[in-house]
Coordinates of all heavy atoms in Angstrom, one line a residue:
I692 N 262.9 -164.0 4.1 CA 263.9 -163.0 3.6 C 265.3 -163.4 3.8 O 266.2 -162.7 3.3 CB 263.5 -161.6 4.2 CG1 263.8 -161.7 5.7 CG2 262.2 -161.2 3.9 CD1 263.8 -160.3 6.4
R693 N 265.6 -164.4 4.6 CA 266.9 -164.8 4.9 C 267.7 -165.2 3.7 O 267.3 -166.0 2.9 CB 266.9 -165.9 5.9 CG 268.3 -166.2 6.6 CD 268.2 -167.3 7.6 NE 267.5 -166.8 8.8 CZ 266.4 -167.4 9.3 NH1 265.9 -168.5 8.7 NH2 265.9 -167.0 10.4
G694 N 268.9 -164.5 3.5 CA 269.7 -164.9 2.3 C 269.4 -164.1 1.1 O 270.1 -164.3 0.1
R695 N 268.4 -163.2 1.1 CA 268.1 -162.5 -0.1 C 268.8 -161.1 -0.1 O 269.3 -160.6 0.9 CB 266.6 -162.3 -0.2 CG 265.8 -163.6 -0.3 CD 264.4 -163.3 -0.5 NE 263.6 -164.5 -0.5 CZ 263.2 -165.1 -1.6 NH1 263.5 -164.7 -2.8 NH2 262.5 -166.2 -1.5
S696 N 268.7 -160.5 -1.3 CA 269.3 -159.1 -1.4 C 268.5 -158.1 -0.7 O 267.3 -158.3 -0.5 CB 269.6 -158.8 -2.9 OG 268.3 -158.6 -3.5
Y697 N 269.0 -156.9 -0.5 CA 268.3 -155.9 0.3 C 267.1 -155.4 -0.5 O 266.0 -155.2 0.0 CB 269.3 -154.7 0.6 CG 268.6 -153.5 1.0 CD1 268.0 -153.4 2.2 CD2 268.6 -152.3 0.2 CE1 267.4 -152.2 2.7 CE2 268.0 -151.2 0.6 CZ 267.4 -151.1 1.8 OH 266.8 -150.0 2.2
E698 N 267.3 -155.1 -1.8 CA 266.2 -154.6 -2.6 C 265.1 -155.6 -2.8 O 263.9 -155.2 -2.7 CB 266.7 -154.1 -4.0 CG 267.7 -153.0 -3.8 CD 268.5 -152.7 -5.1 OE1 268.4 -153.6 -6.0 OE2 269.1 -151.7 -5.2
E699 N 265.4 -156.9 -3.0 CA 264.4 -157.9 -3.1 C 263.7 -158.1 -1.8 O 262.4 -158.3 -1.8 CB 265.1 -159.2 -3.5 CG 264.2 -160.3 -3.8 CD 264.9 -161.6 -4.2 OE1 266.1 -161.6 -4.2 OE2 264.2 -162.6 -4.5
T700 N 264.3 -157.9 -0.7 CA 263.7 -158.1 0.6 C 262.7 -157.0 0.9 O 261.6 -157.3 1.4 CB 264.8 -158.0 1.7 OG1 265.7 -159.1 1.6 CG2 264.2 -158.1 3.1
L701 N 263.0 -155.8 0.5 CA 262.0 -154.7 0.6 C 260.8 -154.9 -0.2 O 259.7 -154.7 0.3 CB 262.7 -153.3 0.2 CG 263.8 -152.8 1.2 CD1 264.2 -151.4 0.7 CD2 263.3 -152.8 2.6
M702 N 260.9 -155.4 -1.4 CA 259.8 -155.7 -2.2 C 258.9 -156.8 -1.6 O 257.7 -156.8 -1.6 CB 260.2 -156.1 -3.6 CG 260.7 -154.9 -4.5 SD 261.0 -155.4 -6.2 CE 262.4 -156.4 -6.1
I703 N 259.6 -157.9 -1.1 CA 258.8 -159.0 -0.5 C 258.1 -158.5 0.7 O 256.9 -158.9 0.9 CB 259.8 -160.1 -0.1 CG1 260.3 -160.8 -1.4 CG2 259.2 -161.1 0.8 CD1 261.4 -161.8 -1.2
L704 N 258.7 -157.7 1.6 CA 258.1 -157.3 2.8 C 256.9 -156.3 2.5 O 255.9 -156.3 3.3 CB 259.1 -156.6 3.7 CG 260.1 -157.6 4.4 CD1 261.1 -156.8 5.1 CD2 259.4 -158.6 5.2
E705 N 257.0 -155.5 1.5 CA 255.9 -154.7 1.2 C 254.6 -155.4 0.7 O 253.5 -155.0 0.9 CB 256.3 -153.6 0.1 CG 257.2 -152.5 0.6 CD 257.6 -151.6 -0.4 OE1 257.2 -151.8 -1.6 OE2 258.4 -150.6 -0.1
L706 N 254.9 -156.6 0.0 CA 253.8 -157.3 -0.6 C 253.2 -158.4 0.3 O 252.1 -158.9 0.0 CB 254.2 -157.9 -1.9 CG 254.6 -156.8 -3.0 CD1 255.1 -157.5 -4.2 CD2 253.4 -155.9 -3.3
M707 N 253.9 -158.8 1.3 CA 253.4 -159.9 2.2 C 252.2 -159.4 3.1 O 252.3 -158.3 3.6 CB 254.5 -160.5 3.1 CG 255.4 -161.3 2.3 SD 256.8 -162.0 3.3 CE 256.0 -163.4 4.0
P708 N 251.2 -160.2 3.3 CA 250.0 -159.7 4.0 C 250.1 -159.9 5.5 O 249.0 -159.8 6.2 CB 248.9 -160.6 3.4 CG 249.6 -161.9 3.1 CD 251.0 -161.5 2.7
Y709 N 251.2 -160.0 6.1 CA 251.3 -160.3 7.6 C 251.6 -159.0 8.3 O 252.3 -158.1 7.8 CB 252.4 -161.3 7.9 CG 252.2 -162.6 7.2 CD1 253.2 -163.1 6.2 CD2 251.1 -163.4 7.4 CE1 253.0 -164.3 5.6 CE2 250.9 -164.6 6.7 CZ 251.8 -165.0 5.8 OH 251.6 -166.2 5.2
R710 N 251.1 -159.0 9.6 CA 251.4 -157.8 10.5 C 252.8 -157.7 10.9 O 253.3 -156.7 11.2 CB 250.5 -158.0 11.7 CG 250.4 -156.7 12.5 CD 249.6 -157.0 13.8 NE 250.4 -157.9 14.7 CZ 250.6 -157.6 15.9 NH1 250.1 -156.5 16.5 NH2 251.3 -158.4 16.7
A711 N 253.5 -158.8 10.9 CA 254.9 -158.9 11.3 C 255.9 -158.2 10.3 O 257.0 -157.9 10.6 CB 255.4 -160.3 11.5
C712 N 255.4 -157.9 9.0 CA 256.2 -157.4 8.0 C 256.7 -155.9 8.3 O 257.8 -155.6 7.9 CB 255.5 -157.4 6.7 SG 255.3 -159.1 6.0
Y713 N 255.8 -155.1 8.9 CA 256.1 -153.7 9.1 C 257.3 -153.5 10.0 O 258.2 -152.8 9.7 CB 254.9 -152.9 9.5 CG 255.2 -151.5 9.6 CD1 255.4 -150.7 8.5 CD2 255.2 -150.8 10.9 CE1 255.7 -149.4 8.6 CE2 255.4 -149.5 11.0 CZ 255.7 -148.8 9.8 OH 255.9 -147.4 9.9
P714 N 257.3 -154.1 11.2 CA 258.5 -153.9 12.1 C 259.8 -154.5 11.5 O 260.9 -154.0 11.6 CB 258.2 -154.6 13.4 CG 256.9 -155.2 13.2 CD 256.3 -154.8 11.9
I715 N 259.7 -155.6 10.7 CA 260.8 -156.2 10.1 C 261.3 -155.3 8.9 O 262.5 -155.1 8.7 CB 260.5 -157.6 9.6 CG1 260.3 -158.5 10.8 CG2 261.7 -158.2 8.8 CD1 259.8 -159.9 10.5
F716 N 260.4 -154.7 8.2 CA 260.7 -153.8 7.2 C 261.5 -152.6 7.7 O 262.5 -152.2 7.2 CB 259.4 -153.3 6.5 CG 259.6 -152.3 5.4 CD1 259.9 -152.7 4.1 CD2 259.5 -150.9 5.7 CE1 260.1 -151.7 3.1 CE2 259.7 -150.0 4.7 CZ 260.0 -150.4 3.4
K717 N 261.0 -152.1 8.9 CA 261.7 -151.0 9.5 C 263.1 -151.3 9.9 O 264.1 -150.5 9.8 CB 260.9 -150.4 10.7 CG 259.7 -149.6 10.3 CD 258.8 -149.3 11.4 CE 259.5 -148.6 12.6 NZ 258.5 -148.2 13.6
L718 N 263.3 -152.6 10.4 CA 264.6 -153.0 10.9 C 265.6 -153.2 9.7 O 266.8 -152.8 9.8 CB 264.5 -154.3 11.6 CG 264.2 -154.2 13.1 CD1 264.0 -155.6 13.7 CD2 265.3 -153.5 13.8
V719 N 265.1 -153.8 8.6 CA 265.9 -153.9 7.4 C 266.3 -152.6 6.9 O 267.5 -152.4 6.5 CB 265.2 -154.8 6.3 CG1 265.9 -154.8 5.0 CG2 265.0 -156.2 6.8
Y720 N 265.4 -151.7 6.8 CA 265.7 -150.3 6.3 C 266.7 -149.6 7.3 O 267.6 -148.9 6.8 CB 264.4 -149.5 6.3 CG 264.4 -148.3 5.4 CD1 264.4 -148.4 4.1 CD2 264.5 -147.0 6.0 CE1 264.4 -147.2 3.3 CE2 264.6 -145.9 5.3 CZ 264.6 -146.0 3.9 OH 264.6 -144.9 3.1
S721 N 266.6 -149.8 8.6 CA 267.5 -149.2 9.5 C 268.9 -149.8 9.4 O 269.9 -149.1 9.5 CB 267.0 -149.4 10.9 OG 267.9 -149.0 11.9
A722 N 269.0 -151.1 9.2 CA 270.3 -151.8 9.0 C 271.0 -151.2 7.7 O 272.2 -151.0 7.7 CB 270.1 -153.3 9.0

């Protein structure tokens, strides 16, 4: 997700199958 736009990042994090995506999604949303 480094270097990508905010909206594109949210789409990527929702579709990736890793457990690490949820806390990172929350941090991006919080930022």
Side-chain angles (χ1 to χ4, degrees):
I692 66 169
R693 191 176 289 123
R695 297 187 186 261
S696 69
Y697 166 70
E698 294 167 350
E699 187 180 2
T700 299
L701 292 184
M702 287 189 288
I703 289 172
L704 289 174
E705 285 178 1
L706 296 174
M707 285 180 84
Y709 302 119
R710 191 185 73 127
C712 291
Y713 184 66
I715 294 171
F716 178 85
K717 285 171 56 174
L718 275 173
V719 170
Y720 197 77
S721 174

